[in-house]
């Protein structure tokens, strides 16, 4: 856009308004922002409203400083250290840690605050994300395989305290896999993005253990990976994706397993939470339904589990939390999804409905919630089952992607609708959405004039990538 403005002498000049926004933001190592014109392809795309073409080998690199990115993914506190139990106990006696290296536990008053806190800023903020990037000096293969770290910020009113108004608490989510690895000092479960136990170490040797904040040495030999991971479909639940506080519960979530319940104040892990649903939450159960026609006592032990989305939604009208559990149907190439609405009083189940996503073998990551519908978008992905079951690659590495294929959306009526409303707002599928890859939705709504479902999401434009990991 071009505008005309008059200066002090009365003459006019044309100003490109876009230039006011054409910059790359500051980073830790480059505190001064940079003009987007330093990257001509990005600047041209910015002016024309198009996406810059990127060669396949450059997809995902973006314009950022690598060393900044690395510092953002360092292990929390001093929890990258490998210390013995005796050393740990000695330090605890002598004064302890600011951050406990075993649990990530920290608790203190925040004294250093820039500016003034509004008097009515009162409440608790929880955050969750990757926080512990390996075990015993061996870094995870991918940052998203790291263990979850939950932070708690308590904002108190001026009348409640004579010291700091902000109290900070932190703790790792002590999942089954976290505790196993802390005890054994090595990876014991497969990670979604390629982290995995090693086999045949007598033949191929131990890992180099370069440290949790340095690049891992690379993949172990193929035979080592297969020996340790073949036919193991129990993927480590890192509980590192989301945290919610609702109905008296604080839950750390991950998209391919059930959530972990935490103490709302101390953040100590309570355990896996079934959310009141009649499901099996035993460790080691993959979110795959039993094989039809096979007696239960003959079913593989890993089958029969469920997973819960990491991204449930809040309804602004009812105050309900709306989430879903899912499980694959191994012989049908489909997936069963159960939508459930919860009330904030005691996390009570209000209503629940189960539907089948035909032709869908991989769970959607996020959803859109509207007045009457729940909308899911399914990306054009396929999994190489042989590569996964052989143990040669992790789940995400096995995902094949068609960046030029059309994608689908599934719309289902909310479970709280009446019988007549469910007939009016019946399920439907859109099979010809233009090629794209969606990750997270920001919001959606039903257009009052047309009745259309409108949604906004972040993701990737059409591209020639054939792999989910780029």
């Amino acid at each position: 856009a071009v505008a005309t403005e008059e200066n002090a002498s009365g003459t006019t000049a044309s100003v490109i308004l876009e230039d006011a926004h054409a910059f790359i933001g500051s980073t830790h190592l480059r505190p001064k922002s940079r003009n987007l014109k330093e990257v001509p392809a990005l600047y041209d795309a910015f002016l024309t409203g198009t996406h810059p073409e990127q060669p396949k080998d450059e997809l995902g690199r973006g314009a950022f400083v690598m060393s900044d990115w690395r510092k953002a993914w360092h292990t929390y506190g001093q929890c990258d250290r490998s210390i013995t139990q005796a050393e740990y106990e000695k330090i605890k006696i002598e004064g302890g840690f600011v951050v406990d290296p075993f649990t990530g536990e920290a608790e203190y008053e925040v004294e250093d605050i820039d500016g003034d806190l509004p008097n009515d800023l009162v409440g608790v903020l929880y955050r969750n994300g990757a926080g512990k990037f390996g075990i015993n000096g061996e870094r995870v293969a991918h940052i998203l395989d790291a263990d979850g770290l939950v932070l708690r910020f308590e904002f108190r009113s001026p009348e409640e305290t004579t010291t700091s108004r902000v109290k900070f608490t932190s703790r790792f989510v002590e999942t089954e896999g976290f505790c196993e690895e802390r005890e054994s000092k090595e990876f014991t479960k497969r990670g979604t993005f390629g982290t995995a136990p090693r086999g045949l170490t007598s033949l191929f040797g131990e890992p180099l253990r370069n440290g949790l904040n340095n690049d891992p040495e690379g993949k172990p030999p193929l035979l080592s990976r297969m020996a340790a991971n073949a036919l193991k479909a129990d993927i480590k639940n890192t509980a590192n994706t989301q945290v919610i506080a609702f109905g008296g519960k604080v839950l750390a979530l991950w998209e391919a397993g059930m959530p972990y319940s935490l103490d709302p104040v101390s953040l100590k892990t309570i355990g896996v939470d079934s959310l009141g649903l009649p499901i099996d939450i035993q460790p080691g159960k993959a979110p795959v339904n039993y094989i039809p026609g096979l007696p239960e006592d003959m079913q593989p032990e890993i089958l029969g589990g469920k997973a819960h989305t990491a991204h449930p939604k809040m309804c602004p009208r009812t105050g309900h939390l709306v989430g879903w559990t899912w499980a694959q149907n191994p012989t049908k190439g489909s997936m069963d999804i159960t939508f459930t609405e919860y009330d904030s009083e005691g996390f009570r189940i209000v209503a629940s409905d189960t539907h089948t996503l035909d032709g869908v073998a991989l769970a959607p990551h996020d959803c859109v919630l509207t007045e009457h519908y729940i909308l899911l978008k399914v990306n054009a992905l396929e999994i190489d089952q042989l590569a996964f079951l052989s143990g040669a690659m992790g789940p995400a590495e096995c995902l094949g992607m068609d960046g030029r294929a059309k994608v689908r959306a599934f719309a289902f009526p909310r479970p709280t609708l009446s019988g007549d409303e469910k007939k009016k707002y019946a399920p439907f599928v859109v099979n010809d959405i233009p090629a794209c890859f969606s990750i997270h939705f920001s919001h959606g709504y039903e257009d009052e004039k047309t009745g259309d479902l409108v949604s906004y999401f972040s993701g990737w434009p059409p591209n020639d990538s054939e792999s989910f990991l780029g």
Side-chain angles (χ1 to χ4, degrees), residues 277-288:
L277 299 169
I279 59 178
D280 189 345
I281 58 172
Q282 295 180 48
K285 293 286 186 179
V288 180

Side-chain angles (χ1 to χ4, degrees), residues 20-155:
H21 305 284
F23 64 90
I24 302 172
S26 62
T27 67
H28 179 70
L29 294 182
R30 293 193 182 184
K32 292 184 178 180
S33 61
R34 289 167 286 159
N35 195 306
L36 199 59
K37 292 178 181 179
E38 295 178 23
V39 190
L42 291 180
Y43 184 67
D44 290 343
F46 175 73
L47 293 178
T48 58
T50 59
H51 193 275
E53 289 294 324
Q54 290 178 289
K56 182 178 175 181
D57 60 352
E58 292 183 2
L59 281 173
R61 290 187 180 178
F64 61 90
V65 180
M66 193 67 180
S67 50
D68 278 1
W69 177 89
R70 167 62 72 196
K71 285 197 172 186
W73 300 110
H74 277 191
T75 289
Y76 179 59
Q78 292 182 308
C79 302
D80 57 319
R81 295 188 296 169
S82 295
I83 63 175
T84 66
Q85 185 68 35
E87 291 172 325
Y88 174 81
E89 297 296 343
K90 182 175 183 292
I91 296 174
K92 289 280 281 188
I93 293 173
E94 292 176 349
F97 307 88
V98 175
V99 178
D100 189 299
F102 283 1
T103 66
E105 182 182 6
E107 182 178 317
Y108 54 83
E109 305 286 334
V110 179
E111 304 291 349
D112 187 7
I113 299 175
D114 292 333
D116 296 319
L117 293 176
N119 289 341
D120 58 354
L121 180 59
V122 178
V124 177
L125 170 68
Y126 296 95
R127 300 296 301 272
N128 188 12
K132 188 168 183 289
F133 292 88
I135 188 71
N136 194 24
E138 185 178 5
R139 186 175 170 91
V140 292
H142 191 285
I143 56 174
L144 297 183
D145 281 339
D147 294 295
L149 169 70
V150 175
L151 311 178
R152 181 182 187 272
F153 300 86
E154 181 180 355
F155 297 89

Side-chain angles (χ1 to χ4, degrees), residues 134-135 138-142 145-146 181 185-201 205-207 209 216-230 232 234-236 238 387-388 390-395 397:
I135 188 71
E138 185 178 5
R139 186 175 170 91
V140 292
H142 191 285
D145 281 339
E181 292 174 355
K185 298 189 182 333
E186 63 182 2
F187 295 124
T188 60
K189 291 183 180 294
R190 301 176 72 178
T192 300
F193 293 90
T195 306
R198 293 170 177 256
L200 304 176
T201 53
E206 296 287 337
R209 305 194 188 281
E217 63 176 297
K219 284 186 177 182
L222 178 61
L223 287 178
S224 175
R225 301 197 302 271
M226 295 177 68
N229 302 291
K232 292 184 178 178
D234 178 22
I235 306 303
K236 180 183 177 181
T238 54
F388 171 62
S390 70
M393 295 191 291
E397 296 174 294

